[in-house]
């Protein structure tokens, strides 16, 4: 399976591959330099032995002239281009091996005790390692020039280096496979954590595993603490809101009594109207608190489990004479449970209050060319006039702030939830004559 470039395994594999390439290149460079030096050192050591033989073969005649006794020298010096060559240069004359034939090497006179090593390639398919040294024998200064063909040694060296390169190249996939196995075995220890998170998203009460690698233990602790704190904060907020709504009922009752007892009938009616509006707001907040239920931060929304509870609650605190139809997916949808309860609770509560006889809910998975989940709630109530549909689509307008023909609650909350998922709200006339609200949501990730 092709790995995504952003995956952790891909990044580790890429870094390992780059590190291996750097190490292999350095290793090959070290091997090449070391073997080259070892080869040259070996040949130079052998030429030193040949130099001693040549110096020993150099002798004076009875007349005092110098001559080179070649009887004790190897036969290689007598074959043309045999790969073994020498020259002796002095004021008394020049002595050269027959193997040089027509090659005239350039010799630099050396001082006694001076030695130089160099490489030449004057003959096809041959590479000479040349040693030049100066010495004194019986008061006469000489320069000894020795050369040996190391082409075969260089060929063997290249063969060795290519073989080593091949072995190292084959070891890279093996190391990558071993690394993948190690990573998979390491990530397998995180599987209990993944299952616990999936169960928590599905709504189950679970305990996060404690047997996790030390490297991710702080992350697990942070997630656990964050979920716990988030749940407590949501619970406290809802409780405070519900308590506030309950506490407001007593001042509202006093406001109702003052409106009924007011001597001025017109002002009394205004106070009564204010009482009804405040009571409606309070009842709405209490209804929302009941619909939301217990908080479950991080849990996925399972429509077939949550929607029936919503409908039972709406039927108990509202009307129970409505027919409800739903088209729901079997599995969880990729959105937060609390967000969906807030969203659908507002939309269904709105439809429940304004429907005549039935409410329709539909949750449709995204099409391939769209990518948006579609949640729609429709009723068969009076609906909304065309000009108010245009207003509903405007940002910041809430249905319960429109004219008496409006229907719905908490549009600003629904719009905020939709926008948090890069979605939007759409309004249209329902087929049954009421209002149809469609919410398009883009799945996270």
């Amino acid at each position: 399976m092709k790995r995504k470039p952003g995956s952790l395994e891909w990044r580790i594999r890429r870094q390992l591959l780059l590190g291996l390439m750097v190490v292999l290149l350095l290793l090959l460079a070290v091997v090449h330099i070391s073997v080259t030096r070892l080869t040259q050192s070996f040949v130079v050591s052998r030429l030193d032995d040949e130099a001693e033989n040549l110096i020993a073969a150099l002798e004076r005649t009875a007349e005092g002239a110098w001559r080179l006794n070649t009887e004790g020298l190897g036969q290689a010096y007598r074959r043309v281009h045999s790969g073994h060559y020498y020259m002796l240069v002095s004021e008394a004359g020049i002595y050269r091996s027959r193997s040089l034939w027509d090659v005239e090497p350039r010799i630099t006179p050396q001082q006694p005790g001076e030695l130089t090593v160099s490489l030449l390639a004057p003959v096809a398919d041959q590479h000479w390692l040349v040693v030049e040294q100066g010495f004194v024998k019986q008061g006469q200064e000489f320069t000894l020039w020795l050369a040996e063909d190391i082409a075969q040694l260089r060929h063997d060296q290249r063969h060795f280096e290519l073989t080593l390169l091949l072995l190292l190249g084959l070891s890279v996939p093996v190391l990558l496979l071993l690394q993948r196995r190690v990573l998979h075995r390491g990530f397998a220890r995180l599987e209990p954590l993944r299952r616990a998170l999936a169960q928590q998203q599905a709504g189950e009460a679970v305990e996060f595993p404690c047997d996790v690698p030390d490297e991710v233990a702080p992350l697990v602790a942070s997630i656990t603490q964050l979920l716990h704190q988030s749940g407590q904060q949501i619970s406290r907020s809802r409780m405070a809101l519900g308590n506030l709504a309950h506490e407001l009922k007593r001042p509202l009752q006093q406001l109702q009594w003052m409106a009924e007892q007011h001597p001025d009938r017109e002002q009394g009616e205004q106070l009564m109207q204010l009482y009804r509006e405040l009571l409606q707001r309070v009842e709405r907040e209490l209804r929302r608190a009941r619909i939301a239920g217990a908080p479950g931060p991080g849990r996925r929304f399972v429509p077939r489990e949550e929607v029936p509870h919503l409908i039972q609650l709406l039927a108990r605190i509202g009307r129970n004479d409505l027919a409800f139809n739903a088209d729901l997916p079997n599995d969880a949808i990729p959105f937060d449970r609390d967000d969906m309860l807030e969203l659908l609770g507002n939309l269904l509560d709105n439809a429940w209050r304004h429907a005549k006889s039935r409410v329709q809910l539909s949750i449709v998975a995204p099409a391939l060319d769209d990518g948006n989940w579609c949640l729609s709630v429709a009723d068969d109530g009076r609906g909304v006039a065309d000009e108010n549909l245009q207003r509903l689509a405007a940002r910041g307008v809430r249905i319960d702030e429109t004219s008496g023909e409006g229907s719905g609650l908490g549009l600003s909350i629904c719009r905020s939830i939709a926008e948090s998922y890069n979605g939007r709200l759409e309004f249209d006339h329902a087929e049954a004559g009421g209002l149809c609200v469609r919410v398009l949501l883009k799945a996270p990730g």
Side-chain angles (χ1 to χ4, degrees):
M1 182 177 64
K2 187 177 180 181
R3 296 288 180 183
K4 293 182 179 180
S7 70
L8 181 59
E9 180 179 351
W10 178 267
R11 292 174 60 184
I12 294 177
R13 180 177 299 177
R14 182 179 61 184
Q15 293 174 1
L16 175 63
L17 184 59
L18 291 176
L20 285 175
M21 295 301 295
V22 172
V23 171
L24 292 181
L25 290 176
L26 291 176
L27 179 61
L28 288 175
V30 171
V31 169
H32 174 74
I33 295 173
S34 301
V35 173
T36 300
R37 289 182 176 178
L38 181 63
T39 302
Q40 293 184 2
S41 176
F42 171 75
V43 175
V44 169
S45 175
R46 192 161 60 187
L47 290 177
D48 285 341
D49 293 337
E50 292 292 329
E52 291 180 2
N53 294 333
L54 284 167
I55 293 173
L58 187 64
E59 57 187 25
R60 281 184 182 272
T61 62
E63 293 78 12
W66 289 95
R67 76 180 190 81
L68 184 65
N69 184 7
T70 60
E71 293 181 359
L73 301 179
Q75 294 295 322
Y77 292 117
R78 297 186 175 89
R79 296 194 305 271
V80 176
H81 297 165
S82 63
H84 297 268
Y85 313 95
Y86 70 82
M87 285 188 66
L88 273 167
V89 180
S90 70
E91 295 178 354
I94 299 176
Y95 307 93
R96 51 180 288 159
S97 64
R98 186 173 182 272
S99 57
L100 282 171
W101 194 245
D102 56 350
V103 178
E104 294 293 339
R106 184 177 179 179
I107 299 177
T108 303
Q110 304 289 316
Q111 297 297 322
E114 187 178 358
L115 184 143
T116 60
V117 179
S118 59
L119 291 172
L120 294 175
V123 179
D125 299 329
Q126 289 193 9
H127 290 83
W128 293 358
L129 179 66
V130 179
V131 174
E132 297 177 88
Q133 68 180 56
F135 67 93
V136 177
K137 187 170 184 178
Q138 296 181 10
Q140 180 67 48
E141 293 185 359
F142 291 89
T143 295
L144 175 60
W145 180 94
L146 279 169
E148 183 175 335
D149 178 28
I150 60 171
Q152 183 61 40
L153 291 175
R154 289 166 64 93
H155 177 270
D156 294 341
Q157 179 182 346
R158 284 196 299 270
H159 181 73
F160 167 75
E161 292 175 354
L162 289 174
T163 302
L164 179 62
L165 178 61
L166 178 62
L167 292 175
L168 293 176
L170 293 176
S171 67
V172 170
V174 175
L175 290 175
L176 291 177
L177 290 175
L178 289 176
Q179 179 219 34
R180 182 180 181 183
R181 182 178 179 184
V182 170
L183 285 176
H184 284 187
R185 292 182 64 180
F187 289 146
R189 294 190 60 190
L190 301 178
E191 182 62 20
L193 175 61
R194 188 198 66 79
R195 288 198 299 265
L197 287 172
Q199 292 172 354
Q200 198 272 343
Q201 287 182 332
E204 301 180 17
V206 296
E207 290 290 336
F208 287 102
C210 298
D211 184 20
V212 294
D214 295 339
E215 292 77 7
V216 298
L219 176 62
V220 175
S222 298
I223 292 175
T224 305
Q225 183 179 7
L226 179 62
L227 290 174
H228 179 68
Q229 290 179 348
S230 178
Q232 287 186 333
Q233 290 173 356
I234 295 174
S235 179
R236 287 195 299 268
S237 298
R238 290 179 179 172
M239 184 178 296
L241 186 61
N243 291 338
L244 176 61
H246 279 291
E247 292 297 326
L248 287 175
K249 282 192 171 184
R250 181 172 297 177
L252 285 177
Q253 291 174 354
Q254 295 179 357
L255 179 62
Q256 180 187 17
W257 180 84
M258 292 174 60
E260 293 174 349
Q261 301 297 323
H262 199 282
D264 189 331
R265 183 174 181 181
E266 182 178 354
Q267 292 185 1
E269 186 61 31
Q270 291 177 355
L271 290 174
M272 184 61 69
Q273 180 64 26
L274 178 60
Y275 159 75
R276 294 192 187 97
E277 291 179 2
L278 292 175
L279 181 62
Q280 182 183 10
R281 299 286 179 114
V282 170
E283 292 293 341
R284 183 184 70 183
E285 296 303 329
L286 288 174
R287 187 184 300 251
R288 285 178 53 197
R290 295 190 191 101
I291 288 174
R299 290 166 53 182
R300 294 291 178 89
F301 182 69
V302 185
R304 290 191 177 273
E305 295 180 2
E306 304 289 353
V307 170
H309 296 297
L310 280 176
I311 302 307
Q312 291 177 6
L313 182 59
L314 289 171
R316 186 169 65 250
I317 65 178
R319 301 165 54 187
N320 58 5
D321 59 340
L322 297 179
F324 176 74
N325 297 319
D327 181 13
L328 306 176
N330 294 324
D331 300 323
I333 62 177
F335 304 106
D336 184 78
R337 172 182 176 270
D338 292 344
D339 289 342
M340 293 303 100
L341 286 175
E342 186 87 5
L343 176 66
L344 291 179
N346 276 303
L347 296 179
L348 287 173
D349 179 72
N350 173 72
W352 215 262
R353 291 189 302 108
H354 294 85
K356 293 180 180 178
S357 60
R358 66 178 182 273
V359 174
Q360 173 72 35
L361 169 63
S362 175
I363 300 178
V364 181
L368 294 178
D369 56 347
D370 186 357
N372 289 324
W373 284 79
C374 180
L375 289 70
S376 64
V377 176
D379 62 73
D380 62 346
R382 291 183 301 171
V384 178
D386 291 337
E387 60 271 17
N388 283 332
L389 281 179
Q390 306 262 333
R391 294 183 58 198
L392 292 178
R395 182 179 179 86
V397 176
R398 295 170 54 182
I399 290 180
D400 55 343
E401 292 174 351
T402 63
S403 65
E405 294 180 353
S407 64
L409 289 172
L411 250 191
S412 60
I413 297 175
C414 295
R415 181 174 282 108
S416 297
I417 294 174
E419 290 177 351
S420 69
Y421 292 99
N422 296 321
R424 65 184 185 276
L425 267 65
E426 296 180 351
F427 305 93
D428 198 357
H429 298 293
E431 293 181 0
L435 176 67
C436 178
V437 182
R438 279 187 294 273
V439 185
L440 301 179
L441 301 177
K442 187 174 183 60

